[in-house]
Amino acid sequence: MQADLPLWVPDREILEHSPMAEFIAWCGTRFKASFADYDAFHDWSVSERGHFWTAVWEHCKVIGEPGERALVDGERMLDARFFPDARLNFAENLLRKTGSGAALIFRGEDKVSYQLSWAELRALVSRLQQALKAQGIGVGDRVAAMMPNMPETIALMLATASVGAIWSSCSPDFGEQGVLDRFGQIAPKLFIACDGYWYNGKRQDVDAKVRAVAKALGVPTVIVPYAGDSAALAPTVERGLTLADFIADFAAEPLEFERLPFNQPLYILFSSGTTGVPKCIVHSAGGTLLQHLKEHRFHCGLREGERLFYFTTCGWMMWNWLASGLAVGATLCLYDGSPFYPDGNVLFDFAAAERFAVFGTSAKYIDAVRKGGLTPSKTHDLSPLRLMTSTGSPLSPEGFSFVYEGIKSDVQLASISGGTDIVSCFVLGNPMKPVWRGEIQGSGLGLAVDVWNDEGRPVRGEKGELVCTRAFPSMPVMFWNDPDGAKYRAAYFDRFDNIWCHGDFAEWTPHGGIVIHGRSDATLNPGGVRIGTAEIYNQVEQMEEVAEALCIGQDWEDDVRVVLFVRLAQGAELTEQLSREIKNRIRSGASPRHVPAKIIAVADIPRTKSGKIVELAVRDVVHGRPVKNKEALANPEALDLFAGLEALKS
């Protein structure tokens, strides 16, 4: 594989007949415009945002009334209003299909497998909708769910959205305090929980946690059957009832949809919470719908009937992103549990059996498959797979190469990046452009993405802050419990006046792509030079002896020194020889400034529920500062491994 050649190039069929190509041609006709190439179209989508988002609405046939104005801009980003006169309902747009075709296909490890047709999904949503109304739940009320990624969760979200209520979810592996830190802030009117879940082949009991959370929230609780005994659990839960009892009095009837303003709150998502109580980020129905339609239909090229998969839990915004695939008529493939049970082939088994067109996962998963010695390209029929997406952390250049060498040689690989803050992507795949090793293909349509230096000037060929310089529809409506907007402004607009600063350390490439070098708040500053942690991980995690790494900057002698923690592969030891090899690898692959002053082996590395390593929390522990919200972590006990290390005292 030659480094100076792209890994993938779109063929003539894609360039002329993909949904993106069709959309560009349609916009040219609709707005009497001419676009020399994709870049010209992207420029138009930013400079003519009113026309562009009108085009998304019309071309994707959004159900609702758009009103006469697509955009009322303001002097400041926060003053902008998209479709201020529109009326729509999110669920109505996701449930436009009916019939016997599969809408949702589910696997819960090797324990549970079933699917719902479009007609069955609509019937279940109808019964749930009536049950919610009977509970007095309507516009603006909150519904909170601690649920696996299963069909009932999608149906419950759709029923909530159909009546204009606000949905918020987390996964059932959250601890009691972690759940209350989130849902306790938003005062839900209904709590939904499962009766257990499967992970790594074992049933995970949640009975005590459900009882404690339900008691603390003090609202009716619906218990959904999955891995336990909901009929036995429900009577022990304060104001508890089973899902069957919740909908028992209601037969499926024609659905009713409450059409509401474009900016009506739809979701409350939560920040990771590793530096304090999680922020409650409120997203709108209209902004979420349009942004996801754009990403699914054009950037991912999804067509009606194709199979869309993302490995995610209900505590990660990729679940919300996945759910929106229904709006283009795609069949959602849902998986809950360990991606390595009973072995590392389980997701590829699912992909082959259900003929995924789009397979979404994390960079960490791709690296784990590589290090596990798996080669799905040799063991699985992935012929329908045309797009693989990766997010959660930057995908290394070696990860790019492995996808083409070990998974599928002719797939479009799209590394994507955005986040909970925008419930979507700033930079992502583009079917009209080549895929280059280690690069995200470019910025999303309609988004004025750029990279700025510390002086607030755009830069090329050097690293800086990822920013967005113009308003976009999926900006949060607000933060919950932030009446004057101070927390919202501080989160995104404090760094540069009237410019969204996303908190990613990024760099444009000569091909017009983007490289994310890590989070800005986790960048290292030895000698006053900013270094992205991803640049170090890209080198060290390719070594077979290293399973995983985490890097921080330690305050030292009026400067900062780079400290690298490594979780070694089974049987490996951190000898002086291996330490030298790690340093040489980093020196030659990155730069001498990236070479750590200290390398320390640890038994585990702390990460969030969605699998992201927590550099800031480790840095706090190393410096003797308290970690404010350990409940946000999947393995909080791992933080103890970093406290009081003798090796960091000299």
Side-chain angles (χ1 to χ4, degrees):
M1 193 171 292
Q2 297 183 30
D4 59 343
L5 294 176
L7 298 171
W8 177 88
V9 177
D11 60 22
R12 182 179 295 276
E13 176 67 20
I14 291 173
L15 291 173
E16 294 180 357
H17 300 295
S18 66
M20 178 76 87
E22 293 170 355
F23 181 55
I24 293 172
W26 184 90
C27 286
T29 301
R30 169 69 172 80
F31 296 99
K32 298 179 174 57
S34 174
F35 311 113
D37 53 23
Y38 174 84
D39 290 337
F41 180 66
H42 185 277
D43 290 345
W44 174 83
S45 77
V46 171
S47 63
E48 300 292 341
R49 285 169 300 144
H51 287 341
F52 172 74
W53 292 109
T54 295
V56 174
W57 183 300
E58 293 180 359
H59 191 76
C60 294
K61 297 180 171 60
V62 170
I63 301 170
E65 302 88 43
E68 295 184 0
R69 301 173 294 175
L71 170 62
V72 177
D73 223 337
E75 290 186 13
R76 308 194 67 77
M77 285 184 72
L78 285 171
D79 296 333
R81 293 292 178 269
F82 290 87
F83 298 95
D85 312 309
R87 309 284 292 187
L88 60 86
N89 183 275
F90 183 80
E92 185 175 11
N93 280 276
L94 270 62
L95 288 168
R96 65 178 72 200
K97 281 192 71 172
T98 189
S100 60
L104 306 173
I105 299 173
F106 174 60
R107 287 193 183 184
E109 292 196 344
D110 60 349
K111 309 296 184 186
V112 181
S113 177
Y114 61 94
Q115 66 184 49
L116 293 182
S117 69
W118 289 94
E120 290 168 334
L121 176 60
R122 289 179 64 92
L124 178 56
V125 172
S126 170
R127 298 180 71 193
L128 291 167
Q129 179 189 81
Q130 294 171 71
L132 290 174
K133 290 179 177 179
Q135 289 282 336
I137 294 171
V139 177
D141 291 326
R142 277 78 63 206
V143 173
M146 185 182 77
M147 285 288 291
N149 177 22
M150 58 193 295
E152 286 81 356
T153 315
I154 297 281
L156 283 155
M157 178 275 288
L158 291 169
T160 299
S162 74
V163 300
I166 305 170
W167 174 266
S168 192
S169 62
C170 70
S171 53
D173 58 342
F174 274 75
E176 174 189 335
Q177 192 57 48
V179 177
L180 291 174
D181 282 347
R182 287 157 175 76
F183 297 157
Q185 295 188 69
I186 64 173
K189 205 166 182 177
L190 182 71
F191 176 51
I192 300 163
C194 60
D195 59 5
Y197 63 99
W198 299 104
Y199 197 84
N200 213 25
K202 297 177 181 177
R203 180 187 179 275
Q204 307 296 317
D205 181 74
V206 297
D207 290 9
K209 179 165 55 181
V210 171
R211 283 191 288 265
V213 171
K215 183 176 181 180
L217 294 177
V219 297
T221 297
V222 176
I223 309 297
V224 178
Y226 178 39
D229 188 341
S230 60
L233 175 58
T236 72
V237 175
E238 190 171 302
R239 304 180 69 182
L241 69 165
T242 65
L243 177 64
D245 288 339
F246 185 59
I247 61 176
D249 295 337
F250 308 103
E253 296 180 355
L255 282 161
E256 297 178 355
F257 297 101
E258 186 80 27
R259 291 191 182 177
L260 296 160
F262 187 87
N263 258 5
Q264 181 68 28
L266 168 73
Y267 290 137
I268 297 177
L269 276 61
F270 302 95
S271 63
S272 62
T274 54
T275 57
V277 177
K279 295 189 290 288
C280 307
I281 304 171
V282 183
H283 285 292
S284 71
T288 302
L289 178 64
L290 282 195
Q291 183 77 329
H292 288 179
L293 279 169
K294 178 201 74 177
E295 292 184 353
H296 288 144
R297 187 83 179 107
F298 309 130
H299 287 280
C300 293
L302 263 179
R303 295 185 185 274
E304 183 176 337
E306 285 193 311
R307 304 288 172 90
L308 169 65
F309 170 81
Y310 222 104
F311 178 68
T312 181
T313 72
C314 297
W316 191 20
M317 54 80 43
M318 293 312 301
W319 179 84
N320 307 80
W321 188 92
L322 171 64
S324 294
L326 295 172
V328 298
T331 297
L332 306 189
C333 296
L334 312 177
Y335 181 88
D336 194 81
S338 169
F340 295 101
Y341 182 83
D343 58 48
N345 286 307
V346 62
L347 296 187
F348 294 105
D349 293 343
F350 195 13
E354 298 301 340
R355 302 180 64 79
F356 293 178
V358 180
F359 185 127
T361 186
S362 67
K364 290 291 184 185
Y365 173 79
I366 291 172
D367 192 51
V369 170
R370 180 185 69 83
K371 289 191 172 180
L374 302 176
T375 52
S377 60
K378 297 179 180 178
T379 56
H380 292 76
D381 176 11
L382 302 176
S383 51
L385 183 64
R386 56 174 183 76
L387 175 66
M388 191 164 192
T389 65
S390 167
T391 191
S393 59
L395 182 63
S396 68
E398 289 77 11
F400 273 76
S401 296
F402 171 72
V403 167
Y404 286 92
E405 294 164 357
I407 297 179
K408 196 165 192 281
S409 61
D410 62 349
V411 73
Q412 179 194 352
L413 173 59
S415 180
I416 66 178
S417 183
T420 302
D421 314 84
I422 63 169
V423 75
S424 57
C425 305
F426 272 131
V427 290
L428 70 170
N430 177 358
M432 309 293 284
K433 289 202 165 188
V435 173
W436 295 89
R437 187 173 184 263
E439 300 180 18
I440 298 173
Q441 286 179 280
S443 51
L445 289 170
L447 300 177
V449 174
D450 209 344
V451 177
W452 282 17
N453 63 16
D454 290 342
E455 288 72 47
R457 290 195 293 270
V459 291
R460 295 291 184 273
E462 64 179 85
K463 298 159 193 161
E465 296 285 348
L466 186 74
V467 300
C468 192
T469 62
R470 295 191 182 185
F472 52 96
S474 63
M475 291 168 62
V477 177
M478 60 181 175
F479 286 178
W480 202 259
N481 298 326
D482 181 29
D484 62 356
K487 293 179 183 177
Y488 184 178
R489 292 191 299 274
Y492 311 115
F493 295 99
D494 265 6
R495 183 69 187 276
F496 303 115
D497 181 46
N498 199 33
I499 298 294
W500 178 291
C501 186
H502 195 54
D504 279 339
F505 196 44
E507 179 180 11
W508 289 110
T509 73
H511 305 120
I514 287 268
V515 175
I516 304 291
H517 294 288
R519 292 292 295 168
S520 298
D521 52 13
T523 56
L524 313 171
N525 291 277
V529 178
R530 296 182 80 192
I531 292 171
T533 54
E535 300 169 87
I536 295 174
Y537 303 147
N538 285 346
Q539 301 304 320
V540 69
E541 290 186 351
Q542 306 315 313
M543 303 177 69
E544 294 303 320
E545 299 89 344
V546 179
E548 195 174 19
L550 182 146
C551 199
I552 67 164
Q554 182 192 12
D555 297 340
W556 192 257
E557 296 180 351
D558 299 320
D559 197 359
V560 174
R561 66 177 181 181
V562 179
V563 178
L564 176 66
F565 299 99
V566 291
R567 180 173 67 84
L568 297 173
Q570 188 172 1
E573 293 183 22
L574 187 61
T575 61
E576 290 187 11
Q577 174 65 22
L578 180 55
S579 290
R580 284 195 296 271
E581 291 175 3
I582 290 173
K583 290 182 178 182
N584 288 337
R585 172 87 185 222
I586 294 170
R587 182 180 289 107
S588 60
S591 81
R593 287 190 177 275
H594 292 73
V595 176
K598 296 277 185 176
I599 302 177
I600 299 171
V602 290
D604 199 7
I605 286 176
R607 60 191 64 82
T608 65
K609 303 287 186 182
S610 59
K612 298 179 183 179
I613 61 174
V614 287
E615 295 144 321
L616 296 184
V618 169
R619 192 169 72 187
D620 283 341
V621 170
V622 165
H623 289 100
R625 298 188 290 263
V627 177
K628 298 178 181 178
N629 191 2
K630 293 184 180 181
E631 287 286 340
L633 302 181
N635 54 338
E637 67 283 352
L639 286 176
D640 297 337
L641 302 172
F642 300 84
L645 293 173
E646 288 295 324
L648 295 181
K649 296 178 181 178
S650 62

